[in-house]
Amino acid sequence: MFDTLFRGGGGFKRSNGPGANSGAPGASREITCIAEFESRAAESLDRNAFDFFRSGAGGEQTARLNRSCFERIRIRPRCLARVGNRSLAATVLGHSYLMPIGIGPIGLQRLAHSEGERATARAARAMGVPFVLSALSSVSIEELAEVIPKTPKWFQLYIFKDREMTENLIRRAERARYKALVVTVDAPVVGLRRSAMKHPTTLPSKVTMANFCPPHNNVCQKNIGAYVRSQLDPTIGWDSLRWLLSITSLPVVVKGVLSREDALMAADLGVQGIIVSNHGGCQLDGAPATIEVLPEIVEAVGNRVTVMMDGGITQGTDVYKALALGAKMVFIGRAALWGLAVNGQHGVEDVLDLLRLELDSAMAISGCKTVKQICENHVRFESEYLRPRPKISDKLYVDDVEEIQEIPIVGRNSPEPGPSGRDSPELDAPPPLPEPLIPTGEDGLEKFPREDEDGVDECGQNTSQWCRTVNSAVEVVRAPPRATREVRVVPEVAKVLQRNMKTEIGRRQQQPKWQPKNRAASMHNLSSLRKSGDDCRCIF
């Protein structure tokens, strides 16, 4: 609306077909979302081809989760953040791109358009994003290199049973100057798709898996599909990945990781990147959505390798959420394919431009000038807003902290004051203060010093009921760190803490002023706990 009012409407329309636009915010767009591209593609594609690209494994629960889980994440905008002259540029594996969005590997793209991978690669070059060529592409490694000779491109492959054939594919990619290898590790066998079981995919005579055709392979064209499926190796292990790393100097990115354990194994072997992926929901139905496991993997290896993700990206805000949870780049698959089916290269450019526009808008409104400023503090999970957040205590905010720090604490075994109203001689020297309760380490919580059977803590000081309550509460609430690095506080424990703090504060205020040096735990511990309560958000 603002563009229409203040920029004269800008009603430009590119005449290259459906979805065309000038790229300007004020330009009119015939297609305004990825869902519309998909519906247009369904109308233009053969039913067999559309099912081949759209369908997922089993009941397609994972394919649906890839999309729906993005809806459970909220963006927390920040205001007055000076977001003029924004930049979407990102650097991945040593190369700079205009935005943190790439086109992932999709096989047999000529089923969607006669130009297939050529058109998709040209669109990636025009928009300044990386393009990943699939080993099962309908255009060979060498053909694509001629289309975009200077554009950074990656090659995706499997570790086949025939190791010599696998190594040959790597050598061809190296000679064609591909910049990285993407090794898919989540396909020991082909996933079961119900649509393919009912209507097996048949390839037209002009479409084939070009990387396995003569002169590179002597397999008959009619049998290429069966041959490639037979080459998927269910016996591969981490030693196979170690072997692949040993025969190439290209950066190796592992695609298909969905667990912390596998991410650590891959990082230990020396891979340069990980793509968190569930194969678009085409392999194992019931697997988690990639956005669900992304924080776990970023936390495990994000400081060692470049973590990326794919799956379910349908709008720019999805890209924003993935970046906020730690991904350095996201890859689209089906979205680019729908654009290809609708309008070839220009259709893919329109999809990428739409995502760019939506990401730029989200960054501006949420207060981020560059993609590096997008962090986990800019998002929250839905459950954090739908459930109440208990406050540990409202009574800890005091006006005169200095006065409270002078209030003595008397434990159950504290010595009585002398007859003259002074402390006993053994209390003349001020005792050392116990450790404060502050968020530290991965736990986010640290206990008071423990007490022995006589009620004396490790520092030799008498402990109060308050210290024992906190120690017990810490044991209850201690839990592994979550994606947002928060500490879980259950409501029952919060109520106990609040009640005991009120009691303890009242007891300390009633202590006589003539025992200033007899402190089992100083008031700064309560101040530290107040800070801890502010830092910890309830995520149960």
Side-chain angles (χ1 to χ4, degrees):
M1 180 181 70
F2 292 127
D3 291 298
T4 303
L5 290 174
F6 300 111
R7 299 185 184 180
F12 302 102
K13 183 182 293 186
R14 192 169 62 194
S15 59
N16 291 315
N21 66 86
S22 68
S28 63
R29 292 174 181 267
E30 186 177 349
I31 300 179
T32 57
C33 65
I34 304 301
E36 291 185 43
F37 277 102
E38 182 177 357
S39 62
R40 294 285 187 94
E43 296 172 359
S44 60
L45 286 177
D46 176 76
R47 175 63 182 273
N48 187 40
F50 181 75
D51 286 343
F52 171 75
F53 292 124
R54 183 209 59 81
S55 63
E60 301 183 352
Q61 176 192 12
T62 297
R64 291 191 298 271
L65 279 176
N66 276 346
R67 295 188 180 185
S68 62
C69 283
F70 278 103
E71 299 176 0
R72 302 172 191 169
I73 301 174
R74 306 287 185 262
I75 296 176
R76 298 178 69 238
R78 298 298 304 274
C79 304
L80 305 176
R82 301 183 185 276
V83 291
N85 300 319
R86 295 174 302 282
S87 172
L88 276 64
T91 301
V92 175
L93 299 183
H95 294 277
S96 298
Y97 302 98
L98 296 183
M99 56 182 169
I101 304 172
I103 298 179
I106 313 167
L108 300 172
Q109 293 186 31
R110 290 185 64 191
L111 287 175
H113 190 273
S114 59
E115 285 289 298
E117 288 84 356
R118 296 187 188 92
T120 311
R122 292 191 187 102
R125 177 184 60 187
M127 299 301 295
V129 301
F131 174 80
V132 186
L133 179 70
S134 170
L136 310 182
S137 61
S138 51
V139 173
S140 70
I141 296 172
E142 293 78 11
E143 288 179 272
L144 190 88
E146 294 177 1
V147 173
I148 50 172
K150 297 182 180 180
T151 302
K153 47 195 173 293
W154 305 357
F155 178 64
Q156 176 270 335
L157 77 159
Y158 302 86
I159 301 178
F160 293 110
K161 290 179 181 177
D162 187 342
R163 296 293 194 267
E164 183 178 350
M165 181 179 68
T166 305
E167 185 173 357
N168 182 47
L169 289 170
I170 294 174
R171 299 292 173 247
R172 291 168 59 189
E174 289 174 341
R175 287 193 297 268
R177 298 185 179 182
Y178 284 71
K179 300 302 181 183
L181 296 177
V182 179
V183 184
T184 297
V185 296
D186 63 349
V189 296
V190 178
L192 294 178
R193 302 193 199 186
R194 294 175 184 174
S195 61
M197 296 169 68
K198 286 185 177 181
H199 308 287
T201 303
T202 56
L203 299 180
S205 58
K206 295 183 179 181
V207 179
T208 186
M209 297 179 185
N211 288 315
F212 303 94
C213 291
H216 310 296
N217 205 312
N218 294 323
V219 181
C220 176
Q221 181 171 339
K222 293 183 179 179
N223 299 327
I224 284 181
Y227 170 73
V228 172
R229 285 193 295 272
S230 70
Q231 282 295 315
L232 293 178
D233 189 358
T235 67
I236 62 172
W238 291 104
D239 57 328
S240 302
L241 182 59
R242 186 182 294 109
W243 165 79
L244 187 143
L245 286 164
S246 69
I247 64 171
T248 182
S249 59
L250 291 177
V252 174
V253 177
V254 173
K255 178 179 179 290
V257 174
L258 288 176
S259 68
R260 174 190 181 93
E261 294 80 5
D262 287 344
L264 289 169
M265 289 287 290
D268 290 342
L269 285 179
V271 302
Q272 281 74 34
I274 289 176
I275 299 180
V276 182
S277 172
N278 54 29
H279 220 105
C282 294
Q283 281 297 103
L284 177 63
D285 194 32
T290 51
I291 194 66
E292 289 181 301
V293 298
L294 174 63
E296 170 188 340
I297 293 173
V298 169
E299 184 176 10
V301 298
N303 60 340
R304 299 169 60 188
V305 302
T306 301
V307 179
M308 300 161 278
M309 65 87 67
D310 67 11
I313 301 292
T314 58
Q315 50 189 345
T317 52
D318 297 339
V319 179
Y320 183 100
K321 294 170 184 178
L323 296 176
L325 292 178
K328 300 302 181 184
M329 176 165 286
V330 303
F331 289 92
I332 60 173
R334 291 186 178 97
L337 200 71
W338 305 145
L340 177 67
V342 170
N343 196 24
Q345 174 185 343
H346 297 302
V348 181
E349 290 178 9
D350 291 337
V351 167
L352 290 169
D353 188 63
L354 181 60
L355 294 174
R356 179 199 61 78
L357 180 64
E358 292 173 340
L359 175 60
D360 180 68
S361 175
M363 288 174 57
I365 298 173
S366 66
C368 296
K369 194 173 181 179
T370 65
V371 294
K372 290 184 178 180
Q373 293 180 352
I374 305 175
C375 63
E376 63 181 355
N377 196 42
H378 285 95
V379 294
R380 290 287 183 272
F381 288 95
E382 182 181 68
S383 59
E384 300 177 58
Y385 287 108
L386 296 181
R387 300 185 182 185
R389 295 170 53 188
K391 296 181 180 179
I392 294 182
S393 176
D394 293 329
K395 297 294 185 179
L396 290 179
Y397 294 91
V398 292
D399 295 328
D400 192 355
V401 177
E402 296 297 331
E403 179 180 353
I404 290 181
Q405 288 181 346
E406 293 299 322
I407 297 176
I409 313 298
V410 180
R412 62 184 180 186
N413 295 325
S414 298
E416 295 296 333
S420 61
R422 299 175 58 85
D423 292 341
S424 300
E426 61 269 17
L427 297 178
D428 288 341
L433 296 176
E435 293 293 330
L437 180 67
I438 57 176
T440 58
E442 293 185 354
D443 251 356
L445 287 177
E446 184 171 320
K447 292 195 226 178
F448 280 91
R450 296 180 179 177
E451 61 175 350
D452 58 19
E453 295 180 356
D454 297 328
V456 180
D457 63 25
E458 296 169 350
C459 299
Q461 302 301 316
N462 297 316
T463 55
S464 66
Q465 181 62 33
W466 159 248
C467 301
R468 292 189 292 276
T469 301
V470 171
N471 288 346
S472 300
V474 170
E475 292 179 356
V476 174
V477 305
R478 180 163 288 173
R482 289 287 296 274
T484 50
R485 294 177 174 82
E486 298 168 340
V487 179
R488 183 171 55 197
V489 181
V490 295
E492 292 77 9
V493 175
K495 292 178 182 178
V496 172
L497 290 175
Q498 186 177 21
R499 183 179 65 250
N500 283 277
M501 277 190 287
K502 291 180 179 179
T503 302
E504 186 68 16
I505 291 174
R507 189 182 67 82
R508 295 183 185 197
Q509 291 173 344
Q510 296 175 2
Q511 294 299 325
K513 293 287 184 178
W514 38 262
Q515 292 180 333
K517 297 180 181 179
N518 186 17
R519 299 185 181 93
S522 73
M523 202 65 182
H524 79 276
N525 286 331
L526 287 178
S527 301
S528 299
L529 182 64
R530 178 194 66 191
K531 182 179 183 299
S532 175
D534 292 341
D535 290 344
C536 300
R537 296 183 292 275
C538 181
I539 57 174
F540 53 86

